[in-house]
């Protein structure tokens, strides 16, 4: 006989934790079951690089206190995978042969690494990915001071891996087809600043290049260059885990299609986190925003609505706050429209604006500036209603009209 729960959450993620809190804000007693393929309570995945760096330990990586699930009346099933949803019977089949019935179901399955076919990769004995705690623990066992590491991919995952391991190995080389590092979040100027910082620490980059084939511990690049290595890490990209909803007949695109309440096209099935699409207010498109803050917002929104409340997510936007060896990078939105830039040494600012709205920004080593620009972006405040000329140079509350300041501060009191 199948177990029965009022709420079932597939994926023990940041979105899942937020959904639990959203449910409990409206329903204190309804049974909640969480199904997690990983063996651990929810943890901050971005922290796995800091774990390898030695800046944190496993106990401090947990996203909530150890008693979180017990206090919230959650039945947590770890190390088990959800294999099929039956929308007609409202059941979920599990990899251990069991199953669970639901009244409301949340899909928070995240994403998985994408590894393009590369000739000869099977001949590489020590190869790893870098997305989960198990990935980090496996890689850690292989690290030693005499090892040479090759990372394929100069995006966020690849470069955070680089930061985590650079001090523990002999060398790290990074190959990417793009002409600059972090191409999805930085322009050429910003990427150049961060790249130089990483090179000063000893990293080596092969950009506008790609691996054509591997032969054991040798990578042959399209440019004709060869890289000798001992450990390979592939960090080319990720793909949302959409299969459960797709196979259940739900609407999917790159991610699972969900409305502003988190509802999918399958009755009583919701989606949140890196597997789900959101309406991005900066670009004006539906797309996957694979970011921790957005996963939190989506999860809480879905949880509240699953429990009979009513809320909508209307201000989703791409936002990244990330650091590399003391260089702090903040980016948000879409890089569309006119652009205003400032640079002084290794500090850099780029503001993108169009149709009287701030559309996006890049800030490097200017953390104190992020708050007010984020407000302008997320709340879609007309630039004509503020002193944008002053905000470009020196963002501060005095650049807002007095009535806007009073309204804002009264909300915060």
């Amino acid at each position: 006989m199948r177990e029965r729960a009022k709420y079932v959450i597939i994926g023990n993620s940041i979105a899942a934790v937020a959904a639990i809190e959203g449910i409990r804000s409206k329903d204190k007693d309804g049974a909640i079951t969480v199904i997690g393929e990983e063996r651990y309570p929810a943890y901050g995945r971005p922290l796995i690089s800091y774990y390898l760096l030695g800046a944190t330990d496993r106990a401090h990586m947990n996203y909530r206190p150890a008693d979180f699930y017990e206090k919230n009346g959650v039945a947590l099933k770890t190390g088990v995978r959800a294999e099929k949803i039956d929308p007609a019977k409202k059941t979920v089949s599990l990899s251990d042969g069991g199953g669970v019935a639901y009244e409301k179901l949340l899909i928070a399955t995240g994403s998985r690494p994408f590894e393009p076919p590369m000739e000869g990769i099977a001949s590489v004995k020590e190869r790893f990915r870098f997305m989960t705690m198990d990935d980090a623990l496996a890689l850690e066992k292989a690290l030693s001071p005499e090892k040479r590491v090759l990372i394929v991919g100069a995006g966020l995952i690849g470069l955070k891996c680089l930061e985590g391991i650079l001090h523990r190995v002999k060398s790290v080389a990074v190959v990417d087809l793009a002409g600059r590092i972090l191409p999805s979040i930085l322009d050429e100027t910003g990427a150049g600043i961060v790249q130089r910082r990483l090179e000063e620490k000893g990293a080596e980059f092969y950009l506008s290049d790609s691996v054509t084939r591997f032969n054991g511990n040798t990578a042959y690049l399209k440019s004709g260059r060869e890289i000798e290595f001992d450990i390979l890490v592939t960090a080319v990209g990720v793909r949302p885990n959409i299969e459960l909803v797709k196979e259940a007949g739900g609407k999917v695109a790159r991610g699972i299609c969900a409305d502003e309440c988190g509802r999918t096209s399958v009755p009583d099935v919701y989606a949140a986190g890196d597997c789900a699409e959101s309406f991005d207010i900066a670009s004006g498109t539906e797309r996957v925003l694979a970011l921790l803050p957005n996963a939190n917002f989506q999860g809480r929104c879905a949880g509240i609505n699953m429990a009979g409340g009513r809320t909508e997510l209307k201000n989703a936007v791409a936002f990244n706050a990330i650091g590399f060896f003391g260089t702090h990078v903040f980016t948000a939105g879409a890089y569309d429209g006119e652009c205003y830039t400032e640079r002084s040494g290794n500090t850099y600012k780029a503001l993108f604006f169009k149709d009287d709205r701030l559309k996006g920004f890049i800030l490097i080593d200017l953390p104190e500036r992020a708050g007010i620009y984020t407000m302008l972006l997320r709340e879609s405040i007309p630039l004509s209603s503020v002193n944008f000329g002053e905000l470009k140079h020196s963002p501060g509350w005095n650049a807002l009209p007095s009535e806007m300041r009073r309204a804002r501060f009264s909300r915060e009191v």
Side-chain angles (χ1 to χ4, degrees):
M1 186 172 180
R2 292 184 182 273
E3 299 176 34
R4 178 169 295 277
K6 186 170 184 179
Y7 308 101
V8 174
I9 300 172
I10 302 176
N12 186 23
S13 59
I14 303 305
V17 168
I20 293 167
E21 293 171 339
I23 290 169
R24 286 293 179 243
S25 73
K26 298 296 179 182
D27 182 348
K28 305 298 183 184
D29 302 313
I32 303 174
T33 295
V34 173
I35 301 162
E37 190 169 350
E38 292 190 71
R39 299 172 291 151
Y40 315 104
Y43 62 92
R45 280 192 175 183
L47 296 178
I48 62 173
S49 63
Y50 295 105
Y51 169 77
L52 292 181
L53 187 62
T56 190
D57 56 34
R58 291 178 63 180
H60 288 91
M61 294 175 67
N62 289 340
Y63 193 59
R64 289 292 184 268
D67 61 356
F68 171 79
Y69 298 96
E70 181 181 357
K71 280 190 171 181
N72 283 281
V74 176
L76 177 61
K77 295 177 176 291
T78 60
V80 63
R81 184 178 64 257
E83 295 195 326
K84 183 180 179 181
I85 300 168
D86 186 331
K89 296 180 180 178
K90 300 184 78 169
T91 58
V92 179
S93 300
L94 305 179
S95 60
D96 62 2
V100 60
Y102 64 86
E103 294 180 25
K104 302 289 183 181
L105 175 66
L106 174 66
I107 310 298
T109 46
S111 58
R112 63 185 183 277
F114 166 65
E115 190 173 279
M118 290 182 279
E119 182 183 342
I121 194 169
S123 68
V124 180
K125 290 184 179 180
E126 291 196 295
R127 65 181 191 272
F128 302 88
R129 294 170 175 174
F130 197 70
M131 276 197 69
T132 67
M133 190 69 234
D134 281 341
D135 291 338
L137 294 174
L139 177 58
E140 183 180 38
K141 291 179 181 179
L143 299 176
S144 61
E146 74 279 2
K147 296 289 183 71
R148 302 160 299 174
V149 179
L150 171 61
I151 299 174
V152 179
L156 288 168
I157 294 173
L159 295 192
K160 289 308 291 184
C161 178
L162 181 154
E163 183 187 39
I165 68 175
L166 191 56
H167 72 299
R168 302 181 65 166
V169 297
K170 181 179 181 180
S171 64
V172 180
V174 182
V175 176
D176 200 290
L177 185 61
R180 64 179 185 269
I181 67 170
L182 301 171
S184 66
I185 67 168
L186 289 181
D187 60 8
E188 289 187 13
T189 301
I193 292 171
V194 177
Q195 181 178 334
R196 281 189 292 276
R197 177 64 171 165
L198 296 175
E199 288 172 335
E200 289 170 1
K201 293 293 182 177
E204 187 175 4
F205 291 92
Y206 297 81
L207 303 176
S208 300
D209 214 340
S210 60
V211 177
T212 58
R213 67 184 178 93
F214 292 98
N215 183 7
N217 286 2
T218 304
Y220 296 89
L221 306 189
K222 186 177 181 180
S223 63
R225 291 178 287 189
E226 300 176 11
I227 302 176
E228 300 290 333
F229 64 93
D230 303 295
I231 296 171
L232 173 67
V233 179
T234 55
V236 178
V238 298
R239 284 183 172 169
N241 291 317
I242 63 174
E243 287 75 18
L244 286 172
V245 170
K246 183 178 180 180
E247 291 167 6
K251 183 180 178 182
V252 299
R254 176 170 172 76
I256 298 168
C257 299
D259 66 12
E260 64 277 5
C261 297
R263 295 175 298 217
T264 73
S265 62
V266 182
D268 295 320
V269 176
Y270 295 70
D274 293 2
C275 64
E277 295 193 348
S278 298
F279 181 76
D280 179 1
I281 61 171
S283 66
T285 61
E286 297 280 348
R287 66 190 189 103
V288 175
L289 295 172
L291 308 158
L292 190 151
N294 196 59
N296 180 73
F297 295 145
Q298 281 184 307
R300 182 169 179 82
C301 176
I304 290 171
N305 290 313
M306 289 167 70
R310 174 69 183 183
T311 188
E312 297 179 353
L313 180 60
K314 291 185 174 181
N315 59 350
V317 68
F319 183 85
N320 289 280
I322 194 165
F324 300 99
F325 298 112
T327 296
H328 301 286
V329 178
F330 296 83
T331 70
Y335 306 155
D336 186 24
E338 296 182 62
C339 180
Y340 169 81
T341 63
E342 284 183 6
R343 181 177 179 182
S344 177
N346 286 328
T347 65
Y348 177 63
K349 176 199 301 182
L351 306 177
F352 302 85
F353 48 98
K354 182 180 180 181
D355 299 330
D356 200 32
R357 299 292 191 278
L358 185 66
K359 293 293 184 178
F361 62 80
I362 299 170
L363 301 174
I364 297 179
D365 282 344
L366 294 168
E368 71 280 2
R369 309 295 172 87
I372 198 163
Y373 292 140
T374 302
M375 178 201 71
L376 291 173
L377 179 60
R378 290 184 66 89
E379 298 183 20
S380 196
I381 293 173
L383 299 181
S384 57
S385 69
V386 301
N387 187 340
F388 188 51
E390 181 179 342
L391 286 173
K392 287 179 183 178
H393 302 287
S394 181
W397 297 111
N398 287 336
L400 304 182
S402 57
E403 63 273 14
M404 189 179 294
R405 292 200 304 273
R406 283 195 298 270
R408 175 160 300 279
F409 294 145
S410 65
R411 290 200 302 269
E412 293 177 353
V413 171

